[in-house]
Structures are given as structure tokens and as C-alpha cells.
Amino acid sequence: MQLSDATHLSFPPESWGLTEQSLADVNNQLNETLFALGNGYIGLRACAEEGEQRANVPSLNGSYLNGFYESEAIQYPENAYGLARTNQFMLNVPNAKCIELHIEDEVFDLQRGSLDQYQRHLDFKTGLLTRTLQWTSPKGRSIRLHSQRLVSFDNKHLFAISYEVTPLNFSGRISLTSSIDSAVKNIEAGDDPRVGSAISGPVLHKLEVMQDGDFTATLHRTHNSGLCLATAQQNCLHTTASYTSTLQQSGEKIGQRFDVDAVQGQVICLEKFCSYYSSRDFPAASLLTTSKQALVMAQVQGFTQLAKAQRAYLDDFWAQADVRVSGDAALQQGIHFNMFHLLQSVGRDGKTNIAAKGLTGEGYEGHYFWDTEIYIFPFFLYNKPEIAKKLLEYRYQYLPQARERARQLSHASGALYPWRTIDGEECSAYFPAGTAQYHINADIAYSIKLYMEATGDTDFLLKQGAEIVLETARLWMGLGHFTRMRGQQQEVFCINEVTGPDEYTAQVNNNYYTNAMAQMHLRFAVDIVTQLQTQHAEDYHQLAKKISLDNAELDAWQRAAALMFLPYDAERGIHEQDDSFLNKKPWDFAATPKDNYPLLLHYHPLVIYRHQVCKQADVLLALLLLSDQFALDDKRRDFDFYEAVTTHDSSLSTCIFSIIAAEVGYHDKAYDYFMQTARLDLDNTHGNTHYGVHTAAMGGTWLGIAYGFGGMRIRHVHTEGGSGEQTRAQLSFAPVLPRQWQDYQFRVHFQGQLLELEVNQSHATYRLLRGNGVKLNHGGQVLELTTEQPVWMLSMPAQEPNHA
């Protein structure tokens, strides 16, 4: 199945929701993505319960489970040692949303009759997707249909539907058939490598069917990955009219039919409770009974109670994470939309992660990337730190596979995390822009460093974090080497044949981002060892014994970090992206047709690789993550140079450019780049949101506010203690207010405290919302928020002229 392109779409601006006021065929598939619901495990595209009945209207009725996948052997026409052998791809699982509606002898079909009223609304506060319409059949029978849907945050296996039908001008037979449809398949990738899998046809083998009263379930197993899945439903009909119920099976569809003697003006309500349980969480033999027990409990609660629990969960989330911007209603909508979808997409069980397209579509086959650690992890760390910890636990769970991958690439020790994966195995079949991105190891180490600075969670460090950091640090010694480069007076440590974040520049020597992050990684590893040796000697002894770590290895790490080669062009005063980048022929942007972007879809990789052109932020990303290592003038010169050669073909790019632009004083550019990020999916600016949302850009939106306009960084403060000099992490802010806004505010969890920063034209106000107190830095001034003085209000300096 091929999916078609979607067009630009905008919605009425509203802070806490998304409303579709009419049916637009051309945007149908896009809206299925935008109005999707999820809870980090289940993801349901926003297809109507009745399915898409309109002919020639593109649709993908997708239901997805985070971490539930099929695998297949990767076929290479030309083979080579160490290539990834198996692909994993997220499955479109049996559709349990199905409800068919018949009115006497007529089927409810929007392609026929007349649609008199219509509205669909996604509510970010309640987590409900609501559809309300009035329809008149070809024979003149009118009904009102009101459906609500939720995917439970309290029980990751559960979703529920309330489906109300009211006959408006007649009394007569109304039939509702609630079913599970197993005749589903995944989309095919076609010529776009970002889209989906190469598999066509069904991949689930039916093992068992169970029907018992109002309960219906199917049990399937994947052919290759060997995972089992129980898909189940429990129906409950509420009506004062008489009705009959029958069980039905037809092909791959199985369910229950209710025939109701409807009375004009009286509501018929079907509550449908559904679940997905897989052998990744429970023994295969118990899946059906576990499903039935869960759905019986859900029925006892009822839809109303489940909706109250959903609202309570989201009330708590927004109380911690809300971001407010005054002066731009469409932007406020985009911010809340992005945050809501991030929460819906992220795995919270320590066994799953967050895919590049979340759980809204099959783009990138449901794989997890470095997007998690660099773009998304900070959002959860500072807003919902318990979820951030689960993302790190996911990486620890698959440390054994990372060790195995390192051996496949001829590293005698250490671990190499996969570039793209679901279950820990490398799935990237194109190694120049996949496996060669060794910086994934440093990205994961960076997220652990950030987590430790923000939480001080020593227990995690001892049990999981230290082992990840030390094992991944070992890779740099096997990957790089000490050498005396031409023109260099002293020996340096070089890392060759890697790909940095910019995927338009592959397999280069001394990629600046990679080398700088490797340096950070090695130093962090040594710092961890020093901390453990000093404060947790027995724990360190056991870990060192477990991974066979000795002092000679630590000495090598320190030497490599000290001698790390970081390319810099003194004449231009810029950091070189890699050894060869400045020697390449500049891309001729003036002669490149607008329709030829993204370049990757119109030019062979070698054509792109041999030119001076960037897909996304590379050096600039290093300027952000390692901010205190660079002078402001260096950042400005780097920004000026790399802005001119970057296409932003990646959705990961504009948010980073926005943050650095804000820091160096290019406030108008910062705002423009930020706006390209904040409504990227709502306005479908990349033209592919119908394949799924862009979770990295969603995380980048929050970064753009906190890191960009808020100027938030972690600084390291040196203090004298009883055991000598100590270093502690301190939050630092340098807020600016875009001239288009009246004010903005955001909240941050840090070291057990919940803080709020509000910025307007005259003042920056810091508030301690939870906790006993914390010190922070505002533009060089140290503030201490305490329970006695929980608020600091400081005057905003006059904004400097825009330098760009």
C-alpha cells in the first residue's frame, strides 16, 4: 500500500485542542496522524470506528504497539562482513476499533446520504478524541452520532470507546457490530527510505479465537520474531430499548452484533473496552485470560471513570510541564500539541523507547534513534524525570546486544549501541549514514550525564548508568588512534571513518561533533570512576571486576581526551565539520530547483557527499551540548558559516539553529527557525506528516523555548568542601523575549525541585513551586529560591539590536 502526499493544513487556533470542522478528503490521511491517540504503548491513528468508506480517499487504519515487531533478514545484493543482518519493524496490529452501524436496511456511509453537521476534537487536557455529527441516510432517516475514544495512561494495555447513536426522526432497527479485524498490513516503503517496511501482506499467524458472552479475543504470533499478541474487546450496551445480541465471524473479522429496537430521541450507547497484551510482557499461555480479567475490570469502571482517571493523569502532567506563550494563539496550540504527542509516544516501562514517528505512523519502521537522547530526553528529564529514567533503563536492558555489536565490528571490548533498532539489534542496512554514526555512544553517555546533574540519582548510577558509560567509552580507544598529523608538533588522538549528525557528509575523518562528544564521554567516564572509587569503593570494585576494567585503560582514556583532535580553521575562525569539509566544492544552491529538496530524494548519495552541503545541524549541535567550551564570537562565526550551507532537510535541524541564533543575538532568526519547528506537523511543512509525527522536532520545540529563549544551561560551580574542591551542577538562565510575544513561562524539575520561569518585557520572575530550595544563575547573578523566599523578580535588560 502506498500513501499519498498531503497538503498544507491549518486549524482554528486554540490553546488546548485541535478541531476539525469539516471533512476534507485531501487531508484525511494527514488528520489520521494529527488526531491520533496513544499512551506510550498503544498508538491508534484517528480513523473512524466505521473505517474509511469514501472511495479514493487515502487512509491508513493503523494500530501500533511500542516494541511489538516482526523481523526479517536484510537482503544485500553485495554482501560484506559485519553488516546488519536483521531488520525489525513495528507492526500494524489487528484493528480493535471497529464498529459498524446499520439503520434498518441502510449502512451508515458518509459517501452516501448527507452530512448535516460534523466536528472532531482532540482535547489535550482530557486526552479524549471526540467526534460529533448529524447524518441523514438516502432514505431520509437522520441520526446523531457522538463517539469518544481514549487510550489509558493508567493501564498501558487498555483503550476504550463510547459510541452513542440517537435516532432523530424515526423509530426502528439500529444495528451495531463491534469487532476485531485482523486483515491488516503495513505500508510499503516504495522509493522513500523514510516511509515504511518492504514487507507486503499479513505477517501475523492466527493461533486461537475466543468468544464468551460480551468478550471476544484473538491470539496471533509473528512468523519470525516469535512474539504472541492477544487482541481483545469487551462490549457493554446501554439502552432502554429492547435488543438482541449475536456473535459473528466473517473471514478475518470477529465480533458481536447488537440489534436494537430504537426509539426516536432515545440514546443508544455502546461502551467498548479493548486491550493488547503481548508475550513481551506476559507468558504467551496467559495472554487471553489476562486480557479477559483486565477488560472485566475496565467494564466495571466504565468509560466515565476511565475518562476521569485520564483527566487526572493529564492534570498532573500539565501541572509539571505546561509551557505558556502569550501573543500567538497558533504557536500556543503547536506547543501543547507537541508536548501532548510526546507524552503519548514515549515508552514508560523501561523496555521500550520512543520512535522517530512515535506511535502515529510507520515512518522509519518504528525504529528508535539518537533522537531520543539528544532531542527528546531533555523534555522528559526536566518535566517528567521518572519517564527520563525509564528511557535510560531501556538502554541498559540492551547493553548485552550493544556488546555483541561491538564484537561484530571487531572491537575487542566495550559496547556499541545500534543506530536504529527496536529490540536492541542494529537494523540500519545503509551503514554510511547508519552504523558509521558512532556518536550514538556519546549521545547516550551525554544523556546519563545530564540525568545525573539534574537528579543526583546515585542508585541509578551504581546499578546501571556507570556500566553503560564505561562500556561505551571503551569503543573510542578501539575506533581512534594516536598519531602525529601533518603540520602538528605534537601527537593527537584522531577518529577516522565516521559519520556525524549531518547525514549529507558521510564517513569522514575527525568529525568535530563526534570527536568533541567522544572527549566529553571519556572525561565523564574517568569522573565516574573517580567518584565511585572515592564514595562507593566496594560498588566500583565489583563493577570493575565484572567488566575487567583496569587503571591502564583509565590512563589511556585520560590521554585520549587530552589529545583529542578538534579541527579548527584559524583563518576563518570556525570549527571545521571534519578534516575534508572545507576542501569540498560548495553546493550550487542557486541552481537547485525548489522541488529538488530534500536532496536525498533527488541526488545519489555520492553526489551529495562530495559537496559542501549539510542536511542538518552538526557543529552547531556541539556548540549547544558543550556550550561552556566555546566563546560567543566563535559561536557566531560558526553560525554564520554553517547557516549558509545547510538545507534543513532534516526535521532535527531548525530547532538547533534557533537556539544558537538566540544565544548569539540573532533574535529574529531565532524566532523564524523556532516557528519552523513548533508547527512543523500541524502545518505539515515537511510534507510527510501523514506517515507520522516528528517526535524529535516536538522535543526540539521545548528545547527552543527553554534552551533558546530561556537561555537555560547547566553550569558547573566549584566549591570548597571538607574533602577539598567539589563541583556541583547549577541551572543557569539568560532569558530573552521575542518581540512577537507578550510573555512566556515554562517549568523545570531540577535536583528534586520544581521551578518556574516567567519572562515578560520588563521582568524575569523565578518561582519555587515544589521543594525546599535551590540556587540558580540569572545572567551571572546567583539567586537562591527558598521556602522563605520562593520568588525572585529581576528586571530584564534592554534587548540588544538584532545582529543578523
Side-chain angles (χ1 to χ4, degrees), residues 44 75 79 92 159 233 388-389 435 525 535 544 579-580 630 644 654 665 671 675 680 754 804:
L44 305 178
Q75 302 296 328
N79 210 345
N92 187 4
F159 76 89
Q233 67 175 26
K389 183 175 183 178
T435 301
Q535 302 174 14
D579 284 354
S580 63
F630 305 95
T654 52
Y671 185 79
M675 291 302 292
L680 185 149
L754 180 61

Side-chain angles (χ1 to χ4, degrees), residues 4-137:
S4 64
D5 291 335
T7 59
H8 173 86
L9 177 68
S10 61
F11 297 91
E14 51 183 310
S15 294
W16 290 103
L18 199 62
T19 302
E20 179 187 43
Q21 297 176 318
S22 62
L23 283 177
D25 292 359
V26 70
N27 294 318
N28 185 66
Q29 201 165 277
L30 175 60
N31 286 3
E32 290 174 354
T33 294
L34 298 180
F35 287 83
L37 286 182
N39 64 359
Y41 176 65
I42 298 172
L44 305 178
R45 284 176 64 85
C47 305
E49 287 81 10
E50 309 85 27
E52 183 49 65
Q53 302 155 317
R54 292 167 292 167
N56 302 317
V57 176
S59 175
L60 174 64
N61 203 340
S63 305
Y64 309 108
L65 303 178
N66 198 352
F68 188 83
Y69 68 94
E70 176 61 308
S71 59
E72 60 176 342
I74 300 174
Q75 302 296 328
Y76 294 100
E78 296 185 35
N79 210 345
Y81 179 81
L83 295 179
R85 296 300 171 193
T86 305
N87 185 32
Q88 301 167 348
F89 55 95
M90 182 175 70
L91 286 176
N92 187 4
V93 297
N95 177 17
K97 301 187 298 292
C98 306
I99 300 176
E100 297 174 31
L101 172 61
H102 287 77
I103 300 158
E104 293 286 0
D105 58 343
E106 298 179 282
V107 63
F108 171 67
D109 183 350
L110 294 180
Q111 191 170 232
R112 307 175 64 202
S114 63
L115 184 61
D116 306 315
Q117 296 176 14
Y118 177 86
Q119 185 181 87
R120 179 164 59 169
H121 180 71
L122 176 62
D123 193 313
F124 308 147
K125 282 189 172 182
T126 65
L128 296 180
L129 178 64
T130 302
R131 182 176 55 131
T132 303
L133 61 87
Q134 185 172 319
W135 177 78
T136 301
S137 75

Side-chain angles (χ1 to χ4, degrees), residues 397-437:
Q397 177 179 343
Y398 292 108
L399 184 57
Q401 286 90 329
R403 289 188 175 106
E404 176 59 27
R405 183 59 177 159
R407 304 302 168 272
Q408 293 171 1
L409 269 71
S410 303
H411 296 283
S413 62
L416 174 61
Y417 277 96
W419 181 243
R420 51 191 297 177
T421 190
I422 295 177
D423 202 29
E425 190 172 353
E426 178 63 82
C427 296
S428 177
Y430 186 67
F431 72 86
T435 301
Q437 296 205 45

Side-chain angles (χ1 to χ4, degrees), residues 465-599:
E467 188 174 352
I468 295 174
V469 173
L470 300 181
E471 281 287 72
T472 51
R474 285 174 150 167
L475 258 289
W476 300 117
M477 303 311 300
L479 185 63
H481 68 292
F482 296 97
T483 185
R484 194 178 301 276
M485 297 180 67
R486 187 181 306 170
Q488 297 285 336
Q489 297 299 314
Q490 65 176 14
E491 197 173 41
V492 292
F493 188 77
C494 293
I495 301 176
N496 297 331
E497 286 301 309
V498 298
T499 300
D502 169 31
E503 294 178 351
Y504 284 175
T505 310
Q507 291 187 264
V508 296
N509 297 340
N510 295 310
N511 167 255
Y512 189 94
Y513 176 89
T514 302
N515 285 22
M517 291 292 283
Q519 183 184 59
M520 174 280 303
H521 189 174
L522 292 167
R523 287 173 173 168
F524 180 43
V526 172
D527 288 345
I528 285 177
V529 169
T530 301
Q531 177 185 346
L532 296 186
Q533 287 176 333
T534 304
Q535 302 174 14
H536 305 277
E538 181 58 32
D539 293 286
Y540 174 71
H541 174 74
Q542 293 179 8
L543 176 58
K545 182 178 180 181
K546 176 182 178 181
I547 65 175
S548 302
L549 182 67
D550 58 32
N551 290 333
E553 202 167 353
L554 299 177
D555 292 341
W557 292 357
Q558 289 180 304
R559 181 166 175 255
L563 298 179
M564 185 70 66
F565 180 66
L566 299 171
Y568 184 81
D569 185 272
E571 182 178 347
R572 293 180 175 89
I574 64 171
H575 299 90
E576 300 180 53
Q577 185 163 298
D578 57 73
D579 284 354
S580 63
F581 190 79
L582 298 183
N583 296 323
K584 292 179 177 178
K585 178 183 177 181
W587 187 273
D588 189 350
F589 292 101
T592 303
K594 182 179 179 180
D595 291 343
N596 280 17
Y597 294 94
L599 301 182

Side-chain angles (χ1 to χ4, degrees), residues 204-373:
L204 290 171
H205 173 63
K206 187 185 295 182
L207 299 178
E208 189 175 347
V209 171
M210 177 185 289
Q211 289 186 289
D212 182 11
D214 295 324
F215 176 80
T216 298
T218 61
L219 183 66
H220 288 86
R221 184 178 62 229
T222 60
H223 291 285
N224 298 322
S225 61
L227 298 176
C228 290
L229 173 66
T231 307
Q233 67 175 26
Q234 179 83 21
N235 299 307
C236 183
L237 189 70
H238 301 279
T239 180
T240 58
S242 60
Y243 69 91
T244 59
S245 168
T246 56
L247 300 178
Q248 294 189 334
Q249 287 194 46
S250 176
E252 293 298 312
K253 188 174 283 191
I254 180 172
Q256 182 178 13
R257 176 173 174 138
F258 297 93
D259 292 307
V260 184
D261 295 325
V263 178
Q264 181 178 341
Q266 293 187 6
V267 178
I268 302 165
C269 178
L270 173 63
E271 289 188 347
K272 176 170 181 170
F273 307 94
C274 306
S275 67
Y276 293 104
Y277 282 87
S278 88
S279 56
R280 293 203 69 185
D281 295 312
F282 296 90
S286 70
L287 294 178
L288 291 177
T289 55
T290 301
S291 300
K292 187 170 185 179
Q293 292 169 0
L295 292 185
V296 167
M297 292 179 60
Q299 183 179 353
V300 170
Q301 287 181 277
F303 188 90
T304 300
Q305 190 59 40
L306 290 174
K308 287 180 180 179
Q310 193 82 338
R311 176 64 186 253
Y313 184 94
L314 286 167
D315 283 347
D316 178 69
F317 170 72
W318 292 118
Q320 300 175 64
D322 189 21
V323 172
R324 178 177 58 79
V325 172
S326 298
D328 192 329
L331 173 61
Q332 182 68 81
Q333 181 182 43
I335 292 169
H336 284 153
F337 172 84
N338 290 343
M339 297 172 73
F340 180 68
H341 265 287
L342 284 173
L343 183 65
Q344 291 196 124
S345 299
V346 67
R348 296 180 289 142
D349 54 11
K351 296 184 287 187
T352 53
N353 201 280
I354 181 169
K357 294 290 190 178
L359 294 167
T360 63
E362 298 165 32
Y364 294 108
E365 302 174 286
H367 290 163
Y368 315 137
F369 293 80
W370 71 305
D371 305 18
T372 297
E373 280 71 27

